Amino acid sequence: MRSANSIALRRMKSPGKFLVVLVALSSVLTVQAQDNSPYSRYGLGDIVPHSNVVNRAMGGIISGYSSRLNVNFNNPASLSGLQTEVDRSGKSVYGRAILDVGINLENRTIRSPQRADKFTSSYASFSYVQVGIPLKKNWGMSFGLRPLTRVSYLIMKKDRLFDSNTGNPIDSAHTEFSGDGGSFLPNISTGFRIGDLSLGGSAGYFFGNRKTATKRALVNDSVAYYNSNHTTRSYFGDIFFDLGAQYEIALTAKTTLRFGLSGNLQSKLKASQDIMRETFTRDANSGDFRLDSVHESNDNKGEIVYPASYTAGLVFEHLKENGGGWLVGADLMQTKWSNYRFFGAADAIKDNWQFRLGTELRPTPAIRNYFSTVSYRAGLSFGNDYVTAGGDLPQWSATLGMGLPMVRSAYSPGQFSIINVAFEYNKRGNNSNLLKENTFRISAGLSLSDLWFNKRKYD
């Protein structure tokens, strides 16, 4: 068993299962994830990748970014740019409806600075599904579903108990800390443009659950102790809002500077808890069996205070006469995690910030040169993590990505699809922390688009 500072980390016995039902899409997605991050014990869990694969490949810039070919669901103001495909006369005659789906493949390594061994886990997870629809000129909407946080850890600790008076050893204790769960956000968003200003809003239902358990066994040669299990299951959910704005300045006919602001206000989520305290026995083959229920109470009402978060940024974009172009952007994000409360209790978390920098290069398309049609992306981000257990956690990441257009079908000339991929390396913590986490993530997104409100013409 791998261990760090007398804490042994084990894989979850059974992977967490997420069943995603999106009625508006009439589809069902079932995704299994296997992970073990001790830091997911805090807050509502580890914050999962927060943005579209396209934005993720550019360091996570979101506030000033807008595109006709993918859904930037982090800033609803960007939806005002979904609509326009232009005919030869220069008039806006139709737009593109977009289906955008993403998945993640991750490899996480956890180690203690004081030890040479390490723990590694690999898992796959659902990232998001979004549909973007142009409604009218300068007005679009989207709806979809995405996970926000994930709780997944199993930690084993071995203690030697001592007599407080004599200092002599008494018993050995084996303690198991575990947790699983997560949160999700189905949402519907809209954005519209008036002149150079775009405004947008998003409404959704923020819901999830978190289960934490502490199991302890005392080992004694002469006295038989019962094993104890303290389990708490929490459920929460409520309406959740995001707002966004973008302002665009035309520097030249082909060059624009776009400022963006997005975020959410502090929210209170309705919550309930089921609490159980029991004794149990463990069988190596059959698992754990309850012996006696010491205490049990269900549906204890409370609330979760979810903090405000703000992101401000800009994007400088240049389009070429014969196609192609480039952009560079930057974001600054802050979340007021110090205001977070879980049934009235604070946690070992604090306000955090993150700076993100990203760029995209779109070469001039050339006949019979596929790679001239590919978009190339890169980015960096750095800041401090919101978890403070074991000391402040510095955090940084480096990203690369591409947008790979698929060959159009002769039977569906209006369709245009892109496979977006992102490669991310994330580092959390340093040699001053109890544990360090390194994560390598491959994200893949499929953006399918087709003409919307296109008037058919017949000879």
Side-chain angles (χ1 to χ4, degrees):
M1 181 185 302
R2 305 294 187 186
S3 62
N5 285 357
S6 76
I7 299 179
L9 306 174
R10 292 184 177 176
R11 295 179 186 269
M12 299 296 292
K13 291 181 180 178
S14 60
K17 296 182 178 180
F18 302 105
L19 179 63
V20 179
V21 180
L22 194 59
V23 177
L25 292 176
S26 300
S27 64
V28 178
L29 300 176
T30 304
V31 178
Q32 292 185 334
Q34 181 169 322
D35 190 11
N36 193 352
S37 172
Y39 291 127
S40 70
R41 151 66 181 82
Y42 303 97
L44 291 181
D46 273 346
I47 300 172
V48 301
H50 66 283
S51 60
N52 186 292
V53 173
V54 173
N55 303 97
R56 212 176 294 170
M58 296 185 288
I61 59 171
I62 56 173
S63 284
Y65 181 81
S66 181
S67 173
R68 294 179 299 175
L69 297 177
N70 57 76
V71 182
N72 177 10
F73 46 77
N74 297 99
N75 188 344
S78 67
L79 300 175
S80 65
L82 285 180
Q83 95 292 336
T84 54
E85 288 283 341
V86 182
D87 63 6
R88 293 181 180 179
S89 67
K91 296 180 180 179
S92 176
V93 292
Y94 51 78
R96 288 189 172 275
I98 302 170
L99 170 62
D100 211 343
V101 182
I103 60 171
N104 302 321
L105 301 174
E106 302 187 33
N107 179 271
R108 187 191 304 270
T109 300
I110 305 173
R111 67 170 74 237
S112 168
Q114 287 76 38
R115 300 183 63 92
D117 55 354
K118 61 185 179 181
F119 170 84
T120 300
S121 63
S122 298
Y123 51 96
S125 60
F126 160 71
S127 188
Y128 59 84
V129 57
Q130 292 282 326
V131 173
I133 301 174
L135 299 177
K136 289 184 178 181
K137 183 179 180 180
N138 297 326
W139 183 22
M141 68 168 290
S142 72
F143 57 92
L145 174 73
R146 68 183 190 270
L148 298 178
T149 63
R150 180 172 62 239
V151 180
S152 179
Y153 65 91
L154 180 58
I155 305 170
M156 299 294 294
K157 183 179 180 181
K158 296 181 180 180
D159 289 323
R160 185 66 170 166
L161 305 181
F162 296 88
D163 189 300
S164 59
N165 296 319
T166 64
N168 295 325
I170 307 173
D171 299 313
S172 295
H174 294 246
T175 309
E176 177 184 293
F177 305 93
S178 64
D180 62 71
S183 60
F184 299 84
L185 180 66
N187 70 291
I188 183 168
S189 309
T190 187
F192 60 93
R193 177 169 175 158
I194 303 174
D196 296 324
L197 177 65
S198 296
L199 300 173
S202 178
Y205 190 75
F206 190 142
F207 74 96
N209 68 86
R210 191 180 80 168
K211 174 188 173 184
T212 59
T214 302
K215 296 182 178 181
R216 198 171 204 197
L218 299 180
V219 181
N220 187 284
D221 295 334
S222 56
V223 180
Y225 294 99
Y226 288 134
N227 301 330
S228 67
N229 176 25
H230 293 199
T231 298
T232 301
R233 291 182 172 89
S234 304
Y235 309 89
F236 53 88
D238 216 325
I239 302 298
F240 189 78
F241 297 97
D242 286 301
L243 297 173
Q246 291 184 341
Y247 186 78
E248 187 172 293
I249 301 173
L251 302 179
T252 68
K254 294 292 183 179
T255 306
T256 59
L257 178 61
R258 189 182 305 112
F259 296 93
L261 179 65
S262 60
N264 63 274
L265 299 177
Q266 181 172 294
S267 304
K268 293 183 179 180
L269 310 177
K270 296 177 182 178
S272 65
Q273 279 189 341
D274 297 338
I275 300 172
M276 181 183 65
R277 307 290 183 258
E278 66 178 2
T279 57
F280 72 96
T281 183
R282 173 167 294 177
D283 184 89
N285 297 318
S286 304
D288 297 342
F289 295 94
R290 173 189 283 193
L291 293 176
D292 187 25
S293 175
V294 179
H295 170 76
E296 191 167 354
S297 62
N298 297 321
D299 201 25
N300 301 291
K301 300 299 183 182
E303 67 177 20
I304 297 173
V305 178
Y306 190 79
S309 180
Y310 310 100
T311 303
L314 56 86
V315 164
F316 185 66
E317 185 171 14
H318 176 73
L319 301 177
K320 297 181 180 179
E321 289 284 350
N322 51 354
W326 53 265
L327 68 80
V328 61
D331 273 358
L332 180 63
M333 180 275 293
Q334 184 181 44
T335 305
K336 303 290 290 183
W337 282 106
S338 59
N339 295 330
Y340 169 84
R341 295 294 183 272
F342 191 84
F343 286 81
D347 210 338
I349 55 180
K350 67 170 187 177
D351 297 347
N352 77 309
W353 63 271
Q354 192 173 65
F355 179 76
R356 304 164 184 156
L357 181 66
T359 185
E360 179 183 61
L361 174 64
R362 300 183 296 274
T364 301
I367 299 176
R368 297 182 180 178
N369 185 349
Y370 174 79
F371 291 100
S372 69
T373 66
V374 174
S375 298
Y376 301 91
R377 305 170 181 126
L380 294 169
S381 70
F382 60 89
N384 67 303
D385 198 79
Y386 72 105
V387 176
T388 60
D392 292 344
L393 291 172
Q395 190 174 30
W396 67 267
S397 66
T399 63
L400 292 172
M402 293 182 293
L404 305 168
M406 299 173 65
V407 178
R408 299 193 188 195
S409 170
Y411 299 99
S412 302
Q415 292 183 354
F416 184 66
S417 302
I418 301 176
I419 298 175
N420 295 298
V421 294
F423 305 91
E424 304 172 71
Y425 178 76
N426 301 281
K427 191 174 181 64
R428 192 180 193 185
N430 55 31
N431 290 335
S432 300
N433 300 116
L434 178 64
L435 293 174
K436 298 189 297 183
E437 285 188 0
N438 297 335
T439 303
F440 179 71
R441 179 184 300 117
I442 300 176
S443 301
L446 179 59
S447 178
L448 305 171
S449 67
D450 205 345
L451 302 184
W452 181 259
F453 293 147
N454 184 27
K455 295 181 180 180
R456 301 291 182 183
K457 296 182 180 180
Y458 300 92
D459 295 330

